[in-house]
Amino acid sequence: MDDIKEKLDIFHNHCKAKGLKVTPQRTEIYKTLIASKEHPSAEMVYEKIRQTLPNVSFDTVNRTLNTLNDMGAAFIVEGCGDVRRFDGNMENHQHFKCINCKKIFDFSHKTFDNISVPENLLGDFKVLRAVVYIEGLCKSCQEKK
Amino acid sequence: MDDIKEKLDIFHNHCKAKGLKVTPQRTEIYKTLIASKEHPSAEMVYEKIRQTLPNVSFDTVNRTLNTLNDMGAAFIVEGCGDVRRFDGNMENHQHFKCINCKKIFDFSHKTFDNISVPENLLGDFKVLRAVVYIEGLCKSCQEKK
DNA sequence: TTACTATATAGGTTTAGCTACTATTTTGTT
DNA sequence: AACAAAATAGTAGCTAAACCTATATAGTAA
């Protein structure tokens, strides 16, 4: 998997370009995030990262995740209330969230991948992000009821 | 404005159908929410409602707003982090949120109002809500910078 | 109307998620 | 090797939101 190595290289250059230092913690947090498919919360990343860096503080994890979001290396998944969930996959994709088990599922849909923002909005607003958000019940949660 | 009276009637029937009691607090909170155009947080509803019901508790407001969400008389506005914002307008519409001032603007767009959910999702998920969420900077926040 | 039962409320307590602060350490660069 | 800018650990603080329990109320049935 040189894919990860490549992503880390890009990430390191990205950091330098933004004047951010490349620290082991930052690298490890980023690596954990892109390796995860579950759109983890800060708490979930913290638990995982302690296996490799036992002395890292929760604050560092949370702050770093926000930094990744600010620099555009990751983003906060849109949702309704609940804990912040992060996503390191910057490729165009959509999310379905189960309101019962809170799992987030990725999916891709051509027409959603490039949403054309209404022109009357473009005049007044600077659009930074446009996504389709779908929520409901996943298969196993439907069966439970 | 018999529109409000009509909505209240529907709401009361809706409550009874779900086995929920029609209390003055519940009615007033619902009325406040549908009268508001600003997608208020629980705190904002609480402040407003104290003008008519000075003895209401914050917990009641917050719990009731969640009840409204659960029964389908309102919903929590999707977003990234921040405080929960509620919306009593159940008609199809989309949201634009300014990440600076946190204001939420409604807009309507034909192609968004009836998003066709991918068929492969329909098989596994029960879709309860599908909306387009746009975030960025509103006009006045752009000018400030 | 009155009495009864299930549900809702007020008020206080508690928790969770997140942010702020400061002394110390580390990175990246001269 | 030394220096300055920036990041980290650890603690402490804050705010939103959920929990708990005694009391009050709505809806129902006699």
Side-chain angles (χ1 to χ4, degrees):
Chain A
M1 270 291 184
D2 273 333
D3 192 37
I4 289 175
K5 203 170 180 302
E6 195 186 322
K7 278 191 180 173
L8 282 180
D9 279 346
I10 295 171
F11 174 62
H12 288 166
N13 290 333
H14 195 165
C15 284
K16 284 175 190 168
K18 296 256 177 183
L20 298 165
K21 293 186 176 171
V22 177
T23 63
Q25 292 89 338
R26 199 166 270 173
T27 303
E28 198 62 28
I29 289 167
Y30 179 71
K31 218 160 71 183
T32 303
L33 184 62
I34 59 171
S36 168
K37 300 275 179 199
E38 51 184 354
H39 312 82
S41 63
E43 182 66 37
M44 287 154 89
V45 174
Y46 178 60
E47 288 305 327
K48 255 190 197 164
I49 214 121
R50 282 171 67 86
Q51 294 168 15
T52 45
L53 298 172
N55 288 323
V56 85
S57 74
F58 175 78
D59 184 48
T60 296
V61 174
N62 193 48
R63 189 168 19 73
T64 301
L65 287 170
N66 283 330
T67 304
L68 294 181
N69 179 57
D70 292 342
M71 70 188 279
F75 61 92
I76 299 169
V77 179
E78 71 290 345
C80 294
D82 294 327
V83 193
R84 276 189 192 172
R85 304 278 287 267
F86 295 87
D87 194 337
N89 175 12
M90 298 306 285
E91 280 165 51
N92 227 330
H93 67 284
Q94 321 300 329
H95 293 131
F96 174 93
K97 183 169 181 184
C98 177
I99 58 169
N100 188 249
C101 68
K102 313 294 184 192
K103 274 204 192 91
I104 295 170
F105 301 85
D106 284 338
F107 72 92
S108 208
H109 191 51
K110 267 178 276 176
T111 52
F112 294 169
D113 281 349
N114 281 301
I115 298 169
S116 61
V117 177
E119 285 177 25
N120 55 323
L121 273 184
L122 285 174
D124 290 344
F125 302 115
K126 190 180 179 193
V127 174
L128 296 174
R129 197 168 154 221
V131 292
V132 174
Y133 172 70
I134 301 182
E135 68 176 23
L137 289 170
C138 73
K139 200 162 195 172
S140 61
C141 285
Q142 282 175 71
E143 287 164 359
K144 278 178 201 158
K145 304 200 167 179
Chain B
M1 269 293 186
D2 273 334
D3 192 36
I4 288 174
K5 203 170 180 302
E6 195 187 321
K7 279 190 178 174
L8 281 179
D9 278 347
I10 295 171
F11 174 63
H12 288 166
N13 290 333
H14 194 166
C15 283
K16 284 174 189 168
K18 295 257 176 183
L20 297 166
K21 294 185 176 172
V22 177
T23 63
Q25 292 90 336
R26 201 166 269 171
T27 303
E28 198 61 28
I29 288 166
Y30 179 70
K31 218 159 71 183
T32 303
L33 184 61
I34 60 172
S36 168
K37 301 273 178 200
E38 51 184 355
H39 313 81
S41 63
E43 184 64 35
M44 289 154 89
V45 174
Y46 178 60
E47 288 306 327
K48 258 193 197 164
I49 214 118
R50 283 170 69 86
Q51 294 169 15
T52 45
L53 298 173
N55 288 323
V56 85
S57 74
F58 176 78
D59 185 47
T60 297
V61 174
N62 193 50
R63 189 168 19 74
T64 302
L65 287 170
N66 283 331
T67 305
L68 295 181
N69 179 57
D70 292 342
M71 71 189 279
F75 60 91
I76 299 168
V77 178
E78 70 290 343
C80 295
D82 294 326
V83 192
R84 279 188 190 175
R85 305 280 286 267
F86 295 86
D87 194 338
N89 176 11
M90 298 305 285
E91 281 166 48
N92 228 330
H93 67 282
Q94 321 301 327
H95 293 131
F96 175 92
K97 183 171 182 183
C98 177
I99 59 169
N100 188 249
C101 67
K102 313 292 183 194
K103 276 206 193 89
I104 295 169
F105 302 84
D106 285 338
F107 72 93
S108 210
H109 191 51
K110 267 178 278 177
T111 52
F112 294 169
D113 283 349
N114 281 302
I115 297 169
S116 61
V117 178
E119 285 178 24
N120 54 322
L121 272 185
L122 286 174
D124 289 344
F125 301 115
K126 189 179 178 193
V127 174
L128 296 174
R129 195 163 156 242
V131 290
V132 172
Y133 170 71
I134 300 181
E135 67 175 26
L137 290 170
C138 74
K139 199 163 196 173
S140 61
C141 284
Q142 282 174 70
E143 286 163 1
K144 279 179 201 155
K145 305 196 169 180

